Amino acid sequence: MTESIALLTIFVLAAFVGVEVISKVSSTLHTPLMSGANAIHGVILVGAIIVTGQAESTLVVIVGLLAVVLATVNMVGGFVVTDRMLEMFKGPAARKKELHK
Amino acid sequence: MIPTWAQIGYLIAAVCFIVALKALSSPKSARTGNLLGAAGAVLAVIITFVAYKPDHLAPILIALAIGTVGGVVGSRRVQMTQMPQLVALFNGVGGGAAALVALMELGELSTDAVVPAIASAFTILVGAISFSGSIVTFAKLQELMTTRPVTFPGLPVLFVASMLGGLVLAGFLVNEPRVWVGVLLCLVGLAVGVMLVLPVGGADVPIVISLLNAFTGLTVAAGGYVLNNTLLLVAGTLVGAAGTLLTKMMADAMGRSVFNILFGAVKGGSTLGGGTASDRPVISGGAEDVAILLGYANKVIIVPGYGLAVAQAQHTLRDLVEELQSRGVKVDYAIHPVAGRMPGHMNVLLAEAQVPYDQLREMDEINGDFKTTDVVLVVGANDVVNPAARNTPSAPIYGMPILNADEAQRVIFLKRSMRPGFAGIENELLYDPRTTLLFGDARDSLTKLLGALKTL
C-alpha cells in the first residue's frame, strides 16, 4: 500500500509542476508547445519495450511490436516536427539578439 | 526489480522533460528545450534496454527503426500548413500505443490488484478515445471529410450509452482482469472517440487536438502506474496537466468554453450557416484598382489567413509589403491568435517566409489601430474578421474576439471564391460598400498586385 501512496504522491506533485511550468506562455508558442508536449508522451515507448520484452505468446509479441512502432512514431516524429517549427523562429530571435547588442 | 542506477537515470530523464516544457514556453529557449526533451527520451529508452534486458531484442530494435524512419520522414516531408493534422496523428498513435500496452499487461495482473486494474481500464478506454478521436481530427483537417459539425438525432443518447457501457466494462475488468473484456473496452473507446469529435466544427478542431493530447498524457501516466514505472507516471502527468491548461488557454483565446466546443453542436442551435456561396452582390475589382488603393494609402494593415499559406504566398506577400514600405506606406501584419489552423500557426508560417518578427502584431495590440488605417488587406482569411462574432448571437463563432477590420476606411479581400470560411458562416463584411474583392489564387493575385504596384 505504501508504494501506491508513493505513486499517488508523485502523480499529484507532477500535476502541479505541469501546470506551473507552462503558466506563462504567449499564444505565439501554443502550437510548438502542444507539439513538444505531444512528443514527451511518446515516452510510452518505454512501457511498450518493457511489456514486449516480457511477452511469451507470439500474439502478444506482435501486438507489442505494433505498440513499439506507434510509440516511436509519436516520440521521434514529435520531437523532429517541433524542432522544424522552432527552427522557423530562429531567424527573428537571432535578429532580435543583434538589435540588443 | 529495477536497479537503483536505472531509477536515477529515469529521474534525470523526468527532470529533462520538466525543464523542456519550461523552456518551450519562451521563444528564446524553446529550441534548446525541445532538444533537451529529446535527449531525455533517448536516455530513457537506453536505460530501459540495459535495465530490463528485454527478450525479442532483434524484433524490438527493428520495430524501433521502422517507427523512427516513419516519424522522421513524416515530419520532414510535411508542409508547414499541414502541421496541425500531423500533430493530431502523432498524438493518436501515442494514445493507441498506450492502450495496447495496458491491454497486454492485463494478462499479468493479479485478481486482487484493484488500483492497477482501474488504471489499466482507464488507459485502455482513454487511449482508444484519444486514438480514434485524433484520427477523425486528422481527417477533418486534411479535409478528407467535411469540416462542418456532424451530428445525427440519436448521437447524444448513443454517446452517453457508450460511456456507461465503457464504465460497466471497466467495472468487470477491475473485478477480474480478462483480456477479451479489455478488447471490448478498447472497441467502446474507439466508438466514443469518434462520437466525441464528429460534432466539433472545423475551426474548433485545434482545441480538440490539445484536449486529446492531454488525454494521451493522462493515459501514459496511468500506464506508468500499471507498470510501476515512475518515469511514465511523471512524464504522462506533466503532459496531462500542461495539456489541460493549454487547452483552456487556447479556448480562452477564441472566447469559447471547452464544454461548448465539444457539446455545442449536439445541444443544437449553433450549427447555423449555409456552407454554400450566396449570390448577393459584391464589389470586385482588378489588380490595378487594388494596387492604387494600396499604393496611395498612408497606413495599411495586412490580415493573413490560412488561404495565404495554402497558396504558398507568404514570400510574395513579403515582397509586396517591402514594395509598399519603399513607397513610404506604413505596413503592419495583424495576427489573430488562431490565424491559420492552430494558435500560433500563422507566426510559424510567416517566420518561415522571413517576415521580421517586429512587424507581426498581436490582436490586442493592434485592434485600436484599425480606426486610423486607410486600407486593410485580408489575404485568405475570413472568420477572424467576421463581425458576426460580435453581432450575431446565433453564429457558431459568436463571442470569439476578432480583428476590427470593419473599422478601417477600406477593406480588400483576396479570395478564391465566395465560399464561406472554415467555420462555415457568411461574412457580412464582404457585402459592405467599403469592401473590394479581388478574386483568384492568393499567390497569383499578390503577384499581379506587385506588378501593378511597380508600374504606378
Side-chain angles (χ1 to χ4, degrees), chain A residues 3-4 11 15 22 28 31 34 38 41 43 53 55 74 79 83-85 88, chain B residues 31 34 55-56 75-76 78 80 91 94 213 228 232 242 250 342-343 362:
Chain A
E3 196 167 330
S4 287
F11 173 75
I22 70 144
T28 321
T31 299
M34 189 212 297
N38 180 32
H41 67 51
V43 77
N74 182 188
F79 283 118
D83 188 61
R84 248 191 89 189
M85 269 187 235
M88 305 298 171
Chain B
R31 204 166 177 210
N34 185 54
D55 299 338
H56 320 291
S75 47
R76 284 271 157 218
V78 70
M80 279 294 156
N91 178 52
N213 188 30
N228 213 340
L232 293 190
M250 284 186 187
M342 280 212 282
E362 294 190 12

PDB file of all heavy atoms in Angstrom, chain A residues 3-4 11 15 22 28 31 34 38 41 43 53 55 74 79 83-85 88, chain B residues 31 34 55-56 75-76 78 80 91 94 213 228 232 242 250 342-343 362:
ATOM      1  N   GLU A   3       3.533   1.744  -1.383  1.00  0.00           N
ATOM      2  CA  GLU A   3       4.012   2.009  -2.736  1.00  0.00           C
ATOM      3  C   GLU A   3       2.959   2.763  -3.547  1.00  0.00           C
ATOM      4  O   GLU A   3       3.266   3.714  -4.263  1.00  0.00           O
ATOM      5  CB  GLU A   3       4.370   0.700  -3.418  1.00  0.00           C
ATOM      6  CG  GLU A   3       5.221   0.917  -4.651  1.00  0.00           C
ATOM      7  CD  GLU A   3       5.833  -0.382  -5.130  1.00  0.00           C
ATOM      8  OE1 GLU A   3       6.078  -1.263  -4.286  1.00  0.00           O
ATOM      9  OE2 GLU A   3       6.021  -0.510  -6.327  1.00  0.00           O
ATOM     10  N   SER A   4       1.680   2.344  -3.379  1.00  0.00           N
ATOM     11  CA  SER A   4       0.589   3.048  -4.054  1.00  0.00           C
ATOM     12  C   SER A   4       0.550   4.508  -3.645  1.00  0.00           C
ATOM     13  O   SER A   4       0.387   5.399  -4.482  1.00  0.00           O
ATOM     14  CB  SER A   4      -0.757   2.410  -3.688  1.00  0.00           C
ATOM     15  OG  SER A   4      -0.872   1.179  -4.327  1.00  0.00           O
ATOM     16  N   PHE A  11       2.193  11.482  -8.605  1.00  0.00           N
ATOM     17  CA  PHE A  11       1.180  11.916  -9.569  1.00  0.00           C
ATOM     18  C   PHE A  11       0.699  13.339  -9.250  1.00  0.00           C
ATOM     19  O   PHE A  11       0.712  14.227 -10.108  1.00  0.00           O
ATOM     20  CB  PHE A  11       0.002  10.927  -9.551  1.00  0.00           C
ATOM     21  CG  PHE A  11      -1.177  11.353 -10.370  1.00  0.00           C
ATOM     22  CD1 PHE A  11      -1.146  11.265 -11.758  1.00  0.00           C
ATOM     23  CD2 PHE A  11      -2.317  11.849  -9.761  1.00  0.00           C
ATOM     24  CE1 PHE A  11      -2.237  11.660 -12.512  1.00  0.00           C
ATOM     25  CE2 PHE A  11      -3.417  12.245 -10.511  1.00  0.00           C
ATOM     26  CZ  PHE A  11      -3.363  12.154 -11.888  1.00  0.00           C
ATOM     27  N   ALA A  15       1.443  16.821 -11.348  1.00  0.00           N
ATOM     28  CA  ALA A  15       0.343  17.605 -11.933  1.00  0.00           C
ATOM     29  C   ALA A  15       0.551  19.091 -11.649  1.00  0.00           C
ATOM     30  O   ALA A  15       0.404  19.945 -12.535  1.00  0.00           O
ATOM     31  CB  ALA A  15      -0.996  17.137 -11.373  1.00  0.00           C
ATOM     32  N   ILE A  22       4.050  25.809 -17.459  1.00  0.00           N
ATOM     33  CA  ILE A  22       3.595  26.469 -18.686  1.00  0.00           C
ATOM     34  C   ILE A  22       2.601  27.596 -18.396  1.00  0.00           C
ATOM     35  O   ILE A  22       1.912  28.070 -19.283  1.00  0.00           O
ATOM     36  CB  ILE A  22       2.973  25.477 -19.696  1.00  0.00           C
ATOM     37  CG1 ILE A  22       1.639  24.957 -19.193  1.00  0.00           C
ATOM     38  CG2 ILE A  22       3.903  24.366 -20.050  1.00  0.00           C
ATOM     39  CD1 ILE A  22       0.673  24.761 -20.337  1.00  0.00           C
ATOM     40  N   THR A  28       1.787  32.833 -29.341  1.00  0.00           N
ATOM     41  CA  THR A  28       2.710  32.523 -30.440  1.00  0.00           C
ATOM     42  C   THR A  28       3.269  31.117 -30.312  1.00  0.00           C
ATOM     43  O   THR A  28       3.487  30.430 -31.302  1.00  0.00           O
ATOM     44  CB  THR A  28       3.903  33.491 -30.400  1.00  0.00           C
ATOM     45  OG1 THR A  28       3.422  34.771 -30.053  1.00  0.00           O
ATOM     46  CG2 THR A  28       4.633  33.511 -31.703  1.00  0.00           C
ATOM     47  N   THR A  31       1.357  26.414 -30.455  1.00  0.00           N
ATOM     48  CA  THR A  31       1.495  25.263 -31.349  1.00  0.00           C
ATOM     49  C   THR A  31       2.757  24.449 -31.065  1.00  0.00           C
ATOM     50  O   THR A  31       2.669  23.241 -30.852  1.00  0.00           O
ATOM     51  CB  THR A  31       1.432  25.709 -32.816  1.00  0.00           C
ATOM     52  OG1 THR A  31       0.167  26.307 -33.037  1.00  0.00           O
ATOM     53  CG2 THR A  31       1.597  24.537 -33.753  1.00  0.00           C
ATOM     54  N   MET A  34       2.371  22.609 -27.713  1.00  0.00           N
ATOM     55  CA  MET A  34       1.493  21.446 -27.802  1.00  0.00           C
ATOM     56  C   MET A  34       2.236  20.293 -28.454  1.00  0.00           C
ATOM     57  O   MET A  34       2.194  19.150 -27.982  1.00  0.00           O
ATOM     58  CB  MET A  34       0.258  21.803 -28.628  1.00  0.00           C
ATOM     59  CG  MET A  34      -0.818  20.746 -28.610  1.00  0.00           C
ATOM     60  SD  MET A  34      -1.760  20.665 -30.116  1.00  0.00           S
ATOM     61  CE  MET A  34      -2.537  22.221 -30.182  1.00  0.00           C
ATOM     62  N   ASN A  38       3.328  16.764 -26.831  1.00  0.00           N
ATOM     63  CA  ASN A  38       2.900  15.585 -27.565  1.00  0.00           C
ATOM     64  C   ASN A  38       4.071  14.592 -27.730  1.00  0.00           C
ATOM     65  O   ASN A  38       3.915  13.389 -27.518  1.00  0.00           O
ATOM     66  CB  ASN A  38       2.379  16.077 -28.923  1.00  0.00           C
ATOM     67  CG  ASN A  38       1.892  14.967 -29.810  1.00  0.00           C
ATOM     68  OD1 ASN A  38       1.381  13.972 -29.338  1.00  0.00           O
ATOM     69  ND2 ASN A  38       2.059  15.136 -31.097  1.00  0.00           N
ATOM     70  N   HIS A  41       4.901  12.636 -24.399  1.00  0.00           N
ATOM     71  CA  HIS A  41       4.143  11.441 -24.010  1.00  0.00           C
ATOM     72  C   HIS A  41       4.448  10.244 -24.904  1.00  0.00           C
ATOM     73  O   HIS A  41       4.011   9.132 -24.635  1.00  0.00           O
ATOM     74  CB  HIS A  41       2.652  11.708 -23.802  1.00  0.00           C
ATOM     75  CG  HIS A  41       1.846  12.073 -25.019  1.00  0.00           C
ATOM     76  ND1 HIS A  41       1.862  11.337 -26.167  1.00  0.00           N
ATOM     77  CD2 HIS A  41       0.988  13.100 -25.237  1.00  0.00           C
ATOM     78  CE1 HIS A  41       1.043  11.890 -27.038  1.00  0.00           C
ATOM     79  NE2 HIS A  41       0.503  12.961 -26.513  1.00  0.00           N
ATOM     80  N   VAL A  43       7.006   8.847 -24.699  1.00  0.00           N
ATOM     81  CA  VAL A  43       7.863   8.040 -23.832  1.00  0.00           C
ATOM     82  C   VAL A  43       7.140   6.754 -23.399  1.00  0.00           C
ATOM     83  O   VAL A  43       7.749   5.862 -22.805  1.00  0.00           O
ATOM     84  CB  VAL A  43       8.340   8.873 -22.623  1.00  0.00           C
ATOM     85  CG1 VAL A  43       7.247   9.022 -21.595  1.00  0.00           C
ATOM     86  CG2 VAL A  43       9.596   8.292 -22.017  1.00  0.00           C
ATOM     87  N   GLY A  53       9.161  -7.032 -24.148  1.00  0.00           N
ATOM     88  CA  GLY A  53      10.335  -7.795 -23.725  1.00  0.00           C
ATOM     89  C   GLY A  53       9.990  -8.920 -22.767  1.00  0.00           C
ATOM     90  O   GLY A  53      10.763  -9.864 -22.603  1.00  0.00           O
ATOM     91  N   ALA A  55       6.988 -10.546 -22.999  1.00  0.00           N
ATOM     92  CA  ALA A  55       5.881 -11.301 -23.579  1.00  0.00           C
ATOM     93  C   ALA A  55       6.296 -12.734 -23.877  1.00  0.00           C
ATOM     94  O   ALA A  55       7.448 -13.005 -24.204  1.00  0.00           O
ATOM     95  CB  ALA A  55       5.412 -10.618 -24.853  1.00  0.00           C
ATOM     96  N   ASN A  74       5.311   8.455 -32.528  1.00  0.00           N
ATOM     97  CA  ASN A  74       4.889   9.563 -31.670  1.00  0.00           C
ATOM     98  C   ASN A  74       6.097  10.329 -31.134  1.00  0.00           C
ATOM     99  O   ASN A  74       6.193  11.550 -31.249  1.00  0.00           O
ATOM    100  CB  ASN A  74       4.035   8.996 -30.529  1.00  0.00           C
ATOM    101  CG  ASN A  74       3.501  10.073 -29.594  1.00  0.00           C
ATOM    102  OD1 ASN A  74       2.935   9.764 -28.558  1.00  0.00           O
ATOM    103  ND2 ASN A  74       3.679  11.332 -29.916  1.00  0.00           N
ATOM    104  N   PHE A  79       9.312  15.087 -31.723  1.00  0.00           N
ATOM    105  CA  PHE A  79      10.458  15.962 -31.465  1.00  0.00           C
ATOM    106  C   PHE A  79      10.964  16.599 -32.756  1.00  0.00           C
ATOM    107  O   PHE A  79      11.311  17.775 -32.791  1.00  0.00           O
ATOM    108  CB  PHE A  79      11.577  15.197 -30.756  1.00  0.00           C
ATOM    109  CG  PHE A  79      11.322  14.974 -29.293  1.00  0.00           C
ATOM    110  CD1 PHE A  79      11.211  13.706 -28.759  1.00  0.00           C
ATOM    111  CD2 PHE A  79      11.171  16.066 -28.431  1.00  0.00           C
ATOM    112  CE1 PHE A  79      10.956  13.510 -27.415  1.00  0.00           C
ATOM    113  CE2 PHE A  79      10.915  15.872 -27.072  1.00  0.00           C
ATOM    114  CZ  PHE A  79      10.809  14.594 -26.566  1.00  0.00           C
ATOM    115  N   ASP A  83      11.021  20.601 -33.613  1.00  0.00           N
ATOM    116  CA  ASP A  83      12.267  21.281 -33.954  1.00  0.00           C
ATOM    117  C   ASP A  83      12.122  22.052 -35.255  1.00  0.00           C
ATOM    118  O   ASP A  83      12.606  23.172 -35.393  1.00  0.00           O
ATOM    119  CB  ASP A  83      13.406  20.264 -34.066  1.00  0.00           C
ATOM    120  CG  ASP A  83      14.750  20.954 -34.223  1.00  0.00           C
ATOM    121  OD1 ASP A  83      15.116  21.709 -33.309  1.00  0.00           O
ATOM    122  OD2 ASP A  83      15.396  20.777 -35.271  1.00  0.00           O
ATOM    123  N   ARG A  84      11.423  21.445 -36.221  1.00  0.00           N
ATOM    124  CA  ARG A  84      11.227  22.129 -37.508  1.00  0.00           C
ATOM    125  C   ARG A  84      10.445  23.421 -37.333  1.00  0.00           C
ATOM    126  O   ARG A  84      10.747  24.436 -37.952  1.00  0.00           O
ATOM    127  CB  ARG A  84      10.462  21.199 -38.463  1.00  0.00           C
ATOM    128  CG  ARG A  84      11.310  20.722 -39.618  1.00  0.00           C
ATOM    129  CD  ARG A  84      10.455  20.049 -40.649  1.00  0.00           C
ATOM    130  NE  ARG A  84       9.948  20.990 -41.629  1.00  0.00           N
ATOM    131  CZ  ARG A  84       9.022  20.681 -42.541  1.00  0.00           C
ATOM    132  NH1 ARG A  84       8.514  19.477 -42.569  1.00  0.00           N
ATOM    133  NH2 ARG A  84       8.625  21.579 -43.409  1.00  0.00           N
ATOM    134  N   MET A  85       9.415  23.362 -36.485  1.00  0.00           N
ATOM    135  CA  MET A  85       8.630  24.572 -36.235  1.00  0.00           C
ATOM    136  C   MET A  85       9.491  25.641 -35.587  1.00  0.00           C
ATOM    137  O   MET A  85       9.460  26.806 -35.969  1.00  0.00           O
ATOM    138  CB  MET A  85       7.497  24.234 -35.261  1.00  0.00           C
ATOM    139  CG  MET A  85       6.233  23.805 -35.894  1.00  0.00           C
ATOM    140  SD  MET A  85       5.015  23.668 -34.569  1.00  0.00           S
ATOM    141  CE  MET A  85       4.485  22.026 -34.825  1.00  0.00           C
ATOM    142  N   MET A  88      11.957  27.816 -37.467  1.00  0.00           N
ATOM    143  CA  MET A  88      11.405  28.988 -38.141  1.00  0.00           C
ATOM    144  C   MET A  88      11.513  30.238 -37.281  1.00  0.00           C
ATOM    145  O   MET A  88      11.592  31.340 -37.784  1.00  0.00           O
ATOM    146  CB  MET A  88       9.925  28.756 -38.457  1.00  0.00           C
ATOM    147  CG  MET A  88       9.669  27.515 -39.240  1.00  0.00           C
ATOM    148  SD  MET A  88      10.469  27.593 -40.836  1.00  0.00           S
ATOM    149  CE  MET A  88      10.223  25.930 -41.390  1.00  0.00           C
TER     150      MET A  88
ATOM    151  N   ARG B  31      13.887  26.123 -28.604  1.00  0.00           N
ATOM    152  CA  ARG B  31      14.517  25.077 -29.406  1.00  0.00           C
ATOM    153  C   ARG B  31      15.425  24.195 -28.549  1.00  0.00           C
ATOM    154  O   ARG B  31      15.421  22.972 -28.663  1.00  0.00           O
ATOM    155  CB  ARG B  31      15.320  25.713 -30.537  1.00  0.00           C
ATOM    156  CG  ARG B  31      15.483  24.757 -31.674  1.00  0.00           C
ATOM    157  CD  ARG B  31      15.958  25.400 -32.930  1.00  0.00           C
ATOM    158  NE  ARG B  31      16.142  24.363 -33.936  1.00  0.00           N
ATOM    159  CZ  ARG B  31      17.030  24.441 -34.892  1.00  0.00           C
ATOM    160  NH1 ARG B  31      17.786  25.522 -35.009  1.00  0.00           N
ATOM    161  NH2 ARG B  31      17.142  23.476 -35.768  1.00  0.00           N
ATOM    162  N   ASN B  34      13.309  21.799 -26.561  1.00  0.00           N
ATOM    163  CA  ASN B  34      12.850  20.641 -27.317  1.00  0.00           C
ATOM    164  C   ASN B  34      13.960  19.594 -27.443  1.00  0.00           C
ATOM    165  O   ASN B  34      13.731  18.398 -27.277  1.00  0.00           O
ATOM    166  CB  ASN B  34      12.373  21.100 -28.696  1.00  0.00           C
ATOM    167  CG  ASN B  34      11.775  19.972 -29.499  1.00  0.00           C
ATOM    168  OD1 ASN B  34      10.873  19.297 -29.038  1.00  0.00           O
ATOM    169  ND2 ASN B  34      12.311  19.760 -30.692  1.00  0.00           N
ATOM    170  N   ASP B  55      13.502  -9.586 -23.758  1.00  0.00           N
ATOM    171  CA  ASP B  55      13.603 -10.652 -24.767  1.00  0.00           C
ATOM    172  C   ASP B  55      13.190 -10.065 -26.117  1.00  0.00           C
ATOM    173  O   ASP B  55      12.758  -8.925 -26.189  1.00  0.00           O
ATOM    174  CB  ASP B  55      12.647 -11.805 -24.416  1.00  0.00           C
ATOM    175  CG  ASP B  55      12.998 -12.417 -23.067  1.00  0.00           C
ATOM    176  OD1 ASP B  55      14.168 -12.249 -22.647  1.00  0.00           O
ATOM    177  OD2 ASP B  55      12.104 -13.021 -22.444  1.00  0.00           O
ATOM    178  N   HIS B  56      13.279 -10.898 -27.157  1.00  0.00           N
ATOM    179  CA  HIS B  56      12.874 -10.474 -28.507  1.00  0.00           C
ATOM    180  C   HIS B  56      13.589  -9.185 -28.906  1.00  0.00           C
ATOM    181  O   HIS B  56      12.992  -8.269 -29.466  1.00  0.00           O
ATOM    182  CB  HIS B  56      11.355 -10.250 -28.604  1.00  0.00           C
ATOM    183  CG  HIS B  56      10.541 -11.266 -27.876  1.00  0.00           C
ATOM    184  ND1 HIS B  56      10.465 -12.568 -28.303  1.00  0.00           N
ATOM    185  CD2 HIS B  56       9.789 -11.192 -26.760  1.00  0.00           C
ATOM    186  CE1 HIS B  56       9.686 -13.256 -27.467  1.00  0.00           C
ATOM    187  NE2 HIS B  56       9.271 -12.434 -26.529  1.00  0.00           N
ATOM    188  N   SER B  75       7.606  13.824 -40.530  1.00  0.00           N
ATOM    189  CA  SER B  75       7.729  15.198 -40.045  1.00  0.00           C
ATOM    190  C   SER B  75       8.645  16.041 -40.921  1.00  0.00           C
ATOM    191  O   SER B  75       8.591  17.265 -40.884  1.00  0.00           O
ATOM    192  CB  SER B  75       8.199  15.200 -38.603  1.00  0.00           C
ATOM    193  OG  SER B  75       9.281  14.329 -38.431  1.00  0.00           O
ATOM    194  N   ARG B  76       9.508  15.413 -41.722  1.00  0.00           N
ATOM    195  CA  ARG B  76      10.359  16.181 -42.636  1.00  0.00           C
ATOM    196  C   ARG B  76       9.600  16.557 -43.903  1.00  0.00           C
ATOM    197  O   ARG B  76       9.767  17.636 -44.446  1.00  0.00           O
ATOM    198  CB  ARG B  76      11.606  15.375 -43.027  1.00  0.00           C
ATOM    199  CG  ARG B  76      12.648  15.293 -41.972  1.00  0.00           C
ATOM    200  CD  ARG B  76      13.629  16.463 -42.073  1.00  0.00           C
ATOM    201  NE  ARG B  76      14.265  16.685 -40.778  1.00  0.00           N
ATOM    202  CZ  ARG B  76      14.551  17.887 -40.290  1.00  0.00           C
ATOM    203  NH1 ARG B  76      14.285  18.976 -40.968  1.00  0.00           N
ATOM    204  NH2 ARG B  76      15.132  18.009 -39.111  1.00  0.00           N
ATOM    205  N   VAL B  78       6.283  16.878 -44.334  1.00  0.00           N
ATOM    206  CA  VAL B  78       5.031  17.616 -44.202  1.00  0.00           C
ATOM    207  C   VAL B  78       5.269  19.109 -44.451  1.00  0.00           C
ATOM    208  O   VAL B  78       6.318  19.651 -44.137  1.00  0.00           O
ATOM    209  CB  VAL B  78       4.433  17.402 -42.802  1.00  0.00           C
ATOM    210  CG1 VAL B  78       5.252  18.084 -41.742  1.00  0.00           C
ATOM    211  CG2 VAL B  78       3.006  17.872 -42.743  1.00  0.00           C
ATOM    212  N   MET B  80       4.400  23.100 -43.806  1.00  0.00           N
ATOM    213  CA  MET B  80       4.067  23.829 -42.588  1.00  0.00           C
ATOM    214  C   MET B  80       2.553  24.005 -42.419  1.00  0.00           C
ATOM    215  O   MET B  80       2.055  24.066 -41.309  1.00  0.00           O
ATOM    216  CB  MET B  80       4.737  25.195 -42.600  1.00  0.00           C
ATOM    217  CG  MET B  80       6.180  25.129 -42.177  1.00  0.00           C
ATOM    218  SD  MET B  80       6.321  24.653 -40.438  1.00  0.00           S
ATOM    219  CE  MET B  80       7.957  23.968 -40.418  1.00  0.00           C
ATOM    220  N   ASN B  91      -0.257  12.310 -31.981  1.00  0.00           N
ATOM    221  CA  ASN B  91      -0.928  12.165 -30.700  1.00  0.00           C
ATOM    222  C   ASN B  91      -1.770  10.887 -30.693  1.00  0.00           C
ATOM    223  O   ASN B  91      -1.737  10.123 -29.726  1.00  0.00           O
ATOM    224  CB  ASN B  91      -1.816  13.378 -30.445  1.00  0.00           C
ATOM    225  CG  ASN B  91      -2.576  13.261 -29.164  1.00  0.00           C
ATOM    226  OD1 ASN B  91      -1.994  13.010 -28.120  1.00  0.00           O
ATOM    227  ND2 ASN B  91      -3.880  13.410 -29.243  1.00  0.00           N
ATOM    228  N   GLY B  94       0.266   7.714 -30.279  1.00  0.00           N
ATOM    229  CA  GLY B  94       0.736   7.612 -28.899  1.00  0.00           C
ATOM    230  C   GLY B  94      -0.340   7.035 -28.000  1.00  0.00           C
ATOM    231  O   GLY B  94      -0.085   6.127 -27.192  1.00  0.00           O
ATOM    232  N   ASN B 213      -4.484  15.560 -26.616  1.00  0.00           N
ATOM    233  CA  ASN B 213      -3.085  15.493 -26.223  1.00  0.00           C
ATOM    234  C   ASN B 213      -2.993  15.322 -24.704  1.00  0.00           C
ATOM    235  O   ASN B 213      -2.237  14.480 -24.199  1.00  0.00           O
ATOM    236  CB  ASN B 213      -2.416  16.800 -26.663  1.00  0.00           C
ATOM    237  CG  ASN B 213      -0.923  16.794 -26.500  1.00  0.00           C
ATOM    238  OD1 ASN B 213      -0.288  15.754 -26.592  1.00  0.00           O
ATOM    239  ND2 ASN B 213      -0.366  17.955 -26.241  1.00  0.00           N
ATOM    240  N   ASN B 228       4.322   0.230 -12.812  1.00  0.00           N
ATOM    241  CA  ASN B 228       5.147   0.640 -11.686  1.00  0.00           C
ATOM    242  C   ASN B 228       6.388   1.389 -12.157  1.00  0.00           C
ATOM    243  O   ASN B 228       7.487   1.199 -11.666  1.00  0.00           O
ATOM    244  CB  ASN B 228       5.566  -0.603 -10.883  1.00  0.00           C
ATOM    245  CG  ASN B 228       5.681  -0.286  -9.419  1.00  0.00           C
ATOM    246  OD1 ASN B 228       5.827   0.895  -9.066  1.00  0.00           O
ATOM    247  ND2 ASN B 228       5.632  -1.284  -8.583  1.00  0.00           N
ATOM    248  N   LEU B 232       7.207   7.069 -16.619  1.00  0.00           N
ATOM    249  CA  LEU B 232       5.958   7.199 -17.376  1.00  0.00           C
ATOM    250  C   LEU B 232       4.934   7.987 -16.567  1.00  0.00           C
ATOM    251  O   LEU B 232       4.209   8.829 -17.099  1.00  0.00           O
ATOM    252  CB  LEU B 232       5.375   5.819 -17.706  1.00  0.00           C
ATOM    253  CG  LEU B 232       6.151   4.945 -18.680  1.00  0.00           C
ATOM    254  CD1 LEU B 232       5.315   3.742 -19.069  1.00  0.00           C
ATOM    255  CD2 LEU B 232       6.527   5.721 -19.912  1.00  0.00           C
ATOM    256  N   ALA B 242      -0.211  19.999 -18.144  1.00  0.00           N
ATOM    257  CA  ALA B 242       0.135  21.120 -19.022  1.00  0.00           C
ATOM    258  C   ALA B 242      -0.836  21.184 -20.202  1.00  0.00           C
ATOM    259  O   ALA B 242      -1.287  22.264 -20.595  1.00  0.00           O
ATOM    260  CB  ALA B 242       1.569  20.960 -19.518  1.00  0.00           C
ATOM    261  N   MET B 250      -6.086  28.094 -24.959  1.00  0.00           N
ATOM    262  CA  MET B 250      -6.472  28.215 -26.366  1.00  0.00           C
ATOM    263  C   MET B 250      -7.952  28.559 -26.488  1.00  0.00           C
ATOM    264  O   MET B 250      -8.333  29.419 -27.277  1.00  0.00           O
ATOM    265  CB  MET B 250      -6.242  26.883 -27.092  1.00  0.00           C
ATOM    266  CG  MET B 250      -4.819  26.597 -27.410  1.00  0.00           C
ATOM    267  SD  MET B 250      -4.805  25.107 -28.386  1.00  0.00           S
ATOM    268  CE  MET B 250      -3.064  24.826 -28.485  1.00  0.00           C
ATOM    269  N   MET B 342      -4.127  26.616 -36.065  1.00  0.00           N
ATOM    270  CA  MET B 342      -3.833  26.366 -34.662  1.00  0.00           C
ATOM    271  C   MET B 342      -3.304  27.662 -34.072  1.00  0.00           C
ATOM    272  O   MET B 342      -2.783  28.495 -34.794  1.00  0.00           O
ATOM    273  CB  MET B 342      -2.736  25.304 -34.532  1.00  0.00           C
ATOM    274  CG  MET B 342      -3.207  23.912 -34.687  1.00  0.00           C
ATOM    275  SD  MET B 342      -2.229  22.784 -33.692  1.00  0.00           S
ATOM    276  CE  MET B 342      -0.770  22.610 -34.659  1.00  0.00           C
ATOM    277  N   PRO B 343      -3.424  27.833 -32.763  1.00  0.00           N
ATOM    278  CA  PRO B 343      -2.867  29.035 -32.158  1.00  0.00           C
ATOM    279  C   PRO B 343      -1.375  29.143 -32.459  1.00  0.00           C
ATOM    280  O   PRO B 343      -0.632  28.189 -32.284  1.00  0.00           O
ATOM    281  CB  PRO B 343      -3.098  28.815 -30.658  1.00  0.00           C
ATOM    282  CG  PRO B 343      -4.259  27.890 -30.604  1.00  0.00           C
ATOM    283  CD  PRO B 343      -4.110  26.994 -31.793  1.00  0.00           C
ATOM    284  N   GLU B 362       0.147  41.362 -32.431  1.00  0.00           N
ATOM    285  CA  GLU B 362      -0.944  40.522 -31.930  1.00  0.00           C
ATOM    286  C   GLU B 362      -2.238  41.321 -31.841  1.00  0.00           C
ATOM    287  O   GLU B 362      -2.231  42.542 -31.814  1.00  0.00           O
ATOM    288  CB  GLU B 362      -0.559  39.920 -30.581  1.00  0.00           C
ATOM    289  CG  GLU B 362       0.597  38.950 -30.736  1.00  0.00           C
ATOM    290  CD  GLU B 362       0.870  38.133 -29.491  1.00  0.00           C
ATOM    291  OE1 GLU B 362       0.030  38.141 -28.583  1.00  0.00           O
ATOM    292  OE2 GLU B 362       1.931  37.482 -29.451  1.00  0.00           O
TER     293      GLU B 362
END
